Amino acid sequence: MSWIDIGSIEDIPLRGARVVKTPRGCIAVFRTGLQEAYAVSDTCPHKGGPLSDGIVHDRKVTCPLHNWVFSLETGQAQGADEGAIETFPLKVDGGRILLDGTSVGNKSAA
Amino acid sequence: MKKLVVIGAGMASGRMLEHLFDADPAAYEVTLFNAEPRGNYNRLMLSPVLSGEKTYEEIVTHDEAWYADHKVTCRFGEKVTGIDRDRKVVIGEKGEVAYDKLVIATGSNPFIIPLPGHDLEGVIAYRDLEDTNRMIDLGAQPDAKAVVIGGGLLGLEAAAGLRLRGVDVTVVHIMGHLMERQLDEAAGYLLRKSLTEKGIKVMCKANSKEILGEDGKVRALLLDDGTELPCDLLVMAVGIRPSTALASEAGLAVGKGVHVDDQMVTSDADILSLGECVEHNGAIFGLVAPLYDQAKVLANTLLGKPDTFVNKEVSTKLKVTGCDLFSAGDFAEGETREDIVFRDPARGVYKRLVLEGNRIVGAVMYGDTADGAWFYSHIKDATDVAEMRDTLIFGPAFQGGGTADPLAAVAALPDDAEICGCNGVCKGTIVDAIKGGAGDLPSLKAQTKASGSCGTCTGLVEQLLELTLGDSYAAPAAQPICACCDLTHEDVRRLIKSKELKSQPAVWQELGWKTPNGCHVCRPAVNFYLLADWPLEYQDDLQSRFVNERKHANIQKDGTFSVMPRMWGGITTPDELRAIADAADKFKVPTVKVTGGQRIDLLGVKGEDLPAIWADLNRAGMVSGHAYSKGLRTVKTCVGTDHCRFGTQDSTGLGIKLEKLLWGSWTPHKVKLGVSGCPRNCAEATCKDVGIVCVDSGYQVGVAGAAGMDVKETERLADATTEEEAIELTTAFIQLYRENAKYLDRPYKWVAKVGLDWVKERVVDDLDSRRALVERFEISQSVYRKDPWADHVENERKRYAPLADLTLEAAE
């Protein structure tokens, strides 16, 4: 893994999200706790809704278009819906958010 | 005999000396320096001294006799000015002492925020007996006021002690909830509640700006938002920094603290260190448990016995009488974790366990901490809890099932809590009637009138029946808001009012939410109920809003947004039209559409362009049209007497007045108005939520129309003779709707539930009630009648941009 510092945890509102543009498309970084964040694909597999615009609850997000709910930990759709979003390695260290550059296709980091 | 010199007589070095003398009293001849003019006392117990529950004498751990017995040469009140490692001597103010081994235990210094005025007389830390005595002295003054900066352990103990001494105390905390390092939001809420009940004022998210003084003495604390908090004493309890000056001057390796290895030896083999001044494997220390472990290891190292310091998980307890909380391990961070949450509103209990795999990694408890030690031991031992997971949260005594009582919230209400607001019926009256034989809803209605009017308290009345009669009462099933709770929308609304719940954590805790922080169904509803009922106290939470209301634009099926500026009463100008056209060009807007609400919609704007297009429209004098909100949308008008030969009143003017009055307000669902200048009704006012039709004699105010999934004509609320009266009736109706309707019920659905007569009683017949509604609406509008676009351009701009763009780096 190659950790890339993408910003401060304070740059994302609690229970909110921000987008990171990567060579592999837009990734949504969700802040689920004071020092807790997850990175997943920003695109809902159902109709392509922007998950970063969804409501965040517990460690889940609800897609703003048709209310599909995904676990941010596993990427799996919850309840009756079937599908999954890709998850990406991320860690929070000393208030900084570190994203794994290799898995998001960052060549300079690879 | 070898010579040992110890710098600092604190709790860590004191415990170390005890171990040393126990194991081998003849090993060292000890000299003990201390800057404070006294020996070792239990610093943790300063809070009980402050609150008057203990005296200083009771917390002394080593008295003169102890030092004499162990032949310790005490040099108290004397500062050490340097260490000469080449000659192996410690230089004190009154002379040098030679050492074979030296222990640095200089502890920590309180961190003082360098605010303007921090050096004024009356600004103190909370660290030693001197600080404590200053606070005790303040308590002796009549009408004394104090401000404590810092809502952590120390700050809250200082505040509680001051309060018990009769001081008027305000705690100012920069974070969103108290003790954020040890507690989550829910426990922080309960703590704040019990402190507030003790008379301590608590301000969170409060940023200190300046300490104001008078004649060199502190007078008040000024916050960023301009609030001034008058005080005679200002206590800064925002944290500690390892005291390392002596060690770094001596040339020892120092990072955040004095570097030590697992044997507590510094970079010099003859100098050891322990306590709050050290750094071990990157960690520094503030709680006593690891310090005692260090003391044991250091004593063994001095005696040549092998031992290793391991930094273990620590647990925290707050020493404020009546605030029972416990926190251990790591509960806020990490991945692949699960929560087990237990809430019992009746007893004010909250417990949360954080599991990773089959191990407990963190525990937060409030109200009932009896099982804290048991959970803590499982955290330390990394016990596999898979077997007992189902009943884990109930603690060691309860391993056989059992569920939380859904009726607990109602059971917890006092007898004088108002259940039926329409008829002013209290819980006690209802319970008495049930005990007197009213065994079902109709007979209760007949006897007490409870739930006999608008019916929104029916759920609560049924719960009282269930609670009082037990299993013999079979309640009809009511639909809860969502799977997060057992209560209906109506129940939650009423309980927010009667229990004065003013924050989301308060609702989650007091009403027994089963999830840590709700879901996409309940969060927007609860957020609305709170801001509608407590406009001044509750702060709107963007993260609890659907994207359209969070980003103040309508999301489209491709993830782009539509932007619609307000056109007051459907009136625009050539300048506004030019600005709209320019914006459409500049941002390559694919579709420009005229809407049914008499305005212009720009469809297909990229999310990250929103602040820029708003800024352009703002510059042309336009504001958000709220075309995305559960709030006031448009007021559609016809041209009225200005141009039309049939017009009877100035319908355009009235529409503009109404829109300027009502815009920005949040409502349970969208609200659309229409004003027609004559009964020909060109503005289609008779199918609006509120529709006014002008006639020669005045204004016909109709409500509860619909032209969506259902089509329904408005019902006549009242006839008004003046424009002012028509405006007042409209405002009062909308406020009544805001205060009582279920989230996502349009006015016509709500009126169908409560009945038009019930609405008329409050809005038309009772003039006092009408005025009170208008007044409450105005209070709310003092907060919400502003342009969210301008606000977001100014304050939230960065949220619309990507956090990072890694495609640029890759291209380089």
Side-chain angles (χ1 to χ4, degrees):
Chain A
M1 296 209 190
S2 64
W3 296 110
I4 300 178
D5 186 330
I6 54 168
S8 161
I9 188 86
E10 300 296 332
D11 291 338
I12 307 178
L14 183 59
R15 289 192 278 280
R18 296 280 298 277
V19 168
V20 175
K21 291 187 172 178
T22 78
R24 297 207 31 212
C26 283
I27 287 177
V29 178
F30 291 90
R31 183 177 180 195
T32 51
L34 282 179
Q35 293 293 325
E36 183 181 274
Y38 291 94
V40 300
S41 160
D42 190 32
T43 311
C44 179
H46 175 221
K47 300 269 183 185
L51 294 174
S52 55
D53 283 327
I55 289 181
V56 182
H57 45 101
D58 199 356
R59 294 187 181 94
K60 300 186 198 93
V61 64
T62 302
C63 176
L65 291 195
H66 306 97
N67 289 340
W68 280 39
V69 179
F70 296 92
S71 159
L72 297 173
E73 297 170 277
T74 64
Q76 287 298 319
Q78 308 288 294
D81 297 318
E82 279 184 32
I85 45 173
E86 195 173 355
T87 61
F88 300 93
L90 174 148
K91 64 180 180 183
V92 180
D93 190 1
R96 304 298 301 179
I97 307 171
L98 305 175
L99 183 64
D100 174 35
T102 320
S103 63
V104 301
N106 192 300
K107 291 195 191 82
S108 61
Chain B
M1 222 183 197
K2 283 190 282 185
K3 293 189 184 69
L4 173 69
V5 176
V6 180
I7 305 172
M11 298 179 68
S13 67
R15 178 60 66 96
M16 182 275 292
L17 289 175
E18 285 174 12
H19 284 301
L20 188 69
F21 295 141
D22 280 353
D24 186 354
Y28 287 95
E29 184 190 325
V30 180
T31 304
L32 178 60
F33 281 94
N34 200 25
E36 274 187 72
R38 61 182 71 83
N40 185 21
Y41 59 93
N42 188 341
R43 227 171 263 272
L44 292 178
M45 287 295 151
L46 281 175
S47 293
V49 171
L50 173 58
S51 62
E53 288 157 280
K54 279 195 189 312
T55 63
Y56 169 68
E57 287 67 32
E58 287 176 272
I59 68 165
V60 170
T61 45
H62 298 150
D63 54 15
E64 281 175 31
W66 189 87
Y67 291 117
D69 282 353
H70 297 93
K71 300 186 181 60
V72 177
T73 309
C74 297
R75 294 179 64 164
F76 295 160
E78 178 179 356
K79 287 199 173 89
V80 172
T81 56
I83 300 164
D84 187 332
R85 289 163 57 197
D86 295 334
R87 294 192 294 131
K88 292 182 82 168
V89 292
V90 169
I91 306 151
E93 286 170 326
K94 295 178 188 156
E96 300 182 354
V97 189
Y99 67 81
D100 295 303
K101 293 283 179 189
L102 171 63
V103 172
I104 297 178
T106 43
S108 61
N109 296 318
F111 180 63
I112 298 287
I113 313 170
L115 290 173
H118 70 271
D119 44 6
L120 286 166
E121 160 68 17
V123 177
I124 63 169
Y126 181 28
R127 193 66 200 139
D128 54 26
L129 191 62
E130 275 71 30
D131 297 329
T132 310
N133 285 335
R134 283 292 297 274
M135 289 191 252
I136 293 173
D137 291 346
L138 182 71
Q141 286 178 32
D143 301 325
K145 288 188 176 60
V147 167
V148 176
I149 302 183
L153 266 179
L154 216 52
L156 296 182
E157 291 186 9
L162 282 164
R163 184 69 203 123
L164 278 176
R165 294 273 176 187
V167 178
D168 179 348
V169 191
T170 306
V171 175
V172 173
H173 192 47
I174 192 164
M175 303 302 287
H177 66 269
L178 296 173
M179 288 181 67
E180 77 285 348
R181 282 167 61 191
Q182 290 89 11
L183 302 180
D184 59 7
E185 271 174 294
Y189 154 74
L190 283 168
L191 173 60
R192 180 178 181 153
K193 187 176 153 190
S194 23
L195 291 174
T196 309
E197 279 164 9
K198 290 180 196 303
I200 298 169
K201 296 184 201 90
V202 177
M203 303 178 71
C204 287
K205 289 187 188 163
N207 226 335
S208 305
K209 187 177 180 190
E210 188 180 345
I211 303 167
L212 306 175
E214 206 171 79
D215 307 328
K217 203 183 163 312
V218 63
R219 173 175 69 79
L221 176 70
L222 176 68
L223 303 181
D224 256 1
D225 65 4
T227 311
E228 248 187 66
L229 303 169
C231 59
D232 307 301
L233 192 70
L234 187 139
V235 183
M236 243 192 239
V238 292
I240 53 170
R241 297 282 178 279
S243 168
T244 58
L246 209 53
S248 32
E249 277 162 31
L252 296 174
V254 170
K256 282 181 282 185
V258 181
H259 283 166
V260 292
D261 63 14
D262 293 348
Q263 281 68 48
M264 309 313 294
V265 180
T266 67
S267 57
D268 180 325
D270 289 323
I271 303 181
L272 299 88
S273 185
L274 83 168
E276 289 179 340
C277 60
V278 305
E279 176 182 344
H280 174 266
N281 275 344
I284 55 173
F285 304 87
L287 296 171
V288 78
L291 305 194
Y292 283 167
D293 289 344
Q294 292 176 357
K296 184 173 89 34
V297 174
L298 196 148
N300 281 333
T301 306
L302 284 175
L303 295 167
K305 296 183 200 163
D307 201 352
T308 300
F309 171 67
V310 181
N311 190 15
K312 296 194 201 104
E313 288 291 348
V314 291
S315 64
T316 308
K317 273 199 147 188
L318 180 74
K319 292 176 298 302
V320 173
T321 312
C323 296
D324 210 2
L325 69 83
F326 176 90
S327 144
D330 177 5
F331 54 88
E333 301 161 40
E335 295 167 22
T336 65
R337 291 191 174 172
E338 291 168 292
D339 289 304
I340 299 177
V341 179
F342 172 87
R343 304 186 204 247
D344 182 347
R347 291 188 299 141
V349 171
Y350 170 78
K351 300 181 186 185
R352 175 171 168 220
L353 297 177
V354 181
L355 273 69
E356 183 155 29
N358 287 319
R359 297 184 304 116
I360 310 175
V361 293
V364 191
M365 312 172 82
Y366 195 94
D368 173 6
T369 57
D371 298 335
W374 187 70
F375 291 123
Y376 179 42
S377 71
H378 286 317
I379 294 174
K380 277 198 300 187
D381 303 344
T383 316
D384 186 326
V385 296
E387 292 284 305
M388 50 183 164
R389 189 175 161 133
D390 287 352
T391 53
L392 186 63
I393 194 93
F394 302 106
F398 201 120
Q399 296 292 329
T403 48
D405 184 356
L407 298 175
V410 179
L413 287 173
D415 275 347
D416 60 358
E418 194 181 69
I419 299 288
C420 175
C422 299
N423 297 300
V425 189
C426 300
K427 177 182 166 182
T429 314
I430 299 172
V431 170
D432 288 347
I434 299 170
K435 285 179 180 157
D440 57 23
L441 204 56
S443 50
L444 259 186
K445 255 188 220 174
Q447 285 194 21
T448 67
K449 286 191 165 181
S451 84
S453 299
C454 78
T456 56
C457 62
T458 306
L460 290 180
V461 175
E462 281 174 343
Q463 291 198 351
L464 284 174
L465 276 163
E466 207 178 327
L467 200 66
T468 315
L469 298 176
D471 291 340
S472 57
Y473 178 74
Q479 206 60 26
I481 294 183
C482 60
C484 296
C485 69
D486 295 315
L487 299 164
T488 64
H489 280 274
E490 288 78 7
D491 291 345
V492 169
R493 278 219 89 158
R494 189 160 302 286
L495 288 165
I496 283 173
K497 289 186 178 80
S498 65
K499 296 185 77 147
E500 302 198 6
L501 306 178
K502 299 183 182 178
S503 71
Q504 293 205 51
V507 171
W508 300 333
Q509 171 61 31
E510 299 291 335
L511 306 186
W513 245 246
K514 291 177 277 189
T515 48
N517 44 43
C519 70
H520 65 273
V521 177
C522 62
R523 278 248 301 283
V526 170
N527 186 57
F528 168 73
Y529 295 152
L530 287 166
L531 73 84
D533 284 337
W534 315 108
L536 301 182
E537 292 99 328
Y538 177 72
Q539 180 155 19
D540 186 17
D541 175 30
L542 281 183
Q543 303 311 322
S544 295
R545 288 187 172 278
F546 182 61
V547 56
N548 290 357
E549 295 184 344
R550 192 177 336 123
K551 290 202 159 169
H552 292 281
N554 259 322
I555 195 165
Q556 308 295 312
K557 68 174 199 176
D558 60 355
T560 64
F561 291 86
S562 94
V563 170
M564 201 189 296
R566 199 167 276 289
M567 285 181 177
W568 309 98
I571 296 290
T572 184
T573 65
D575 281 342
E576 285 186 356
L577 290 172
R578 262 188 286 271
I580 291 171
D582 287 345
D585 273 344
K586 181 171 166 188
F587 296 96
K588 301 190 171 50
V589 172
T591 307
V592 180
K593 168 130 185 27
V594 175
T595 72
Q598 300 188 333
R599 30 203 204 168
I600 295 176
D601 194 2
L602 303 171
L603 291 132
V605 179
K606 288 197 218 56
E608 51 191 282
D609 285 341
L610 288 172
I613 193 168
W614 295 337
D616 284 5
L617 295 170
N618 275 163
R619 263 194 296 280
M622 283 176 277
V623 298
S624 167
H626 292 88
Y628 45 80
S629 75
K630 312 279 179 256
L632 189 273
R633 296 279 181 96
T634 65
V635 182
K636 188 171 178 172
T637 66
C638 68
V639 292
T641 45
D642 272 359
H643 301 276
C644 177
R645 65 199 161 102
F646 298 115
T648 62
Q649 310 283 353
D650 177 13
S651 53
T652 321
L654 174 56
I656 293 173
K657 276 184 199 153
L658 281 170
E659 194 165 350
K660 294 220 162 176
L661 181 80
L662 302 170
W663 78 294
S665 60
W666 298 102
T667 42
H669 207 309
K670 58 187 170 186
V671 171
K672 294 180 176 179
L673 272 62
V675 185
S676 286
C678 77
R680 287 170 191 77
N681 193 16
C682 295
E684 296 159 354
T686 50
C687 62
K688 299 294 186 213
D689 297 297
V690 180
I692 298 175
V693 176
C694 302
V695 291
D696 224 27
S697 59
Y699 307 82
Q700 300 173 340
V701 181
V703 296
M709 276 198 282
D710 298 306
V711 180
K712 179 179 168 292
E713 194 182 341
T714 50
E715 298 170 57
R716 186 77 57 84
L717 180 69
D719 289 341
T721 49
T722 63
E723 202 178 64
E724 288 67 42
E725 196 185 355
I727 291 173
E728 210 178 66
L729 286 165
T730 305
T731 310
F733 173 78
I734 289 176
Q735 180 64 11
L736 192 70
Y737 168 59
R738 297 178 74 238
E739 289 178 1
N740 292 283
K742 174 185 154 196
Y743 189 65
L744 299 187
D745 264 359
R746 284 290 285 267
Y748 77 96
K749 285 199 174 169
W750 167 66
V751 171
K753 285 180 187 170
V754 299
L756 188 64
D757 287 342
W758 185 86
V759 174
K760 279 184 177 169
E761 273 169 38
R762 281 149 187 83
V763 173
V764 184
D765 306 340
D766 183 341
L767 285 178
D768 288 337
S769 158
R770 187 198 300 177
R771 277 190 208 109
L773 284 164
V774 171
E775 215 164 89
R776 290 202 291 277
F777 183 77
E778 266 312 307
I779 289 172
S780 171
Q781 285 293 76
S782 70
V783 178
Y784 292 103
R785 187 160 46 211
K786 59 170 194 201
D787 180 26
W789 287 356
D791 177 43
H792 280 220
V793 168
E794 170 98 20
N795 302 311
E796 306 279 348
R797 197 169 193 134
K798 71 172 191 183
R799 287 202 303 111
Y800 293 82
L803 179 63
D805 189 344
L806 303 177
T807 56
L808 297 175
E809 280 174 52
E812 274 164 15

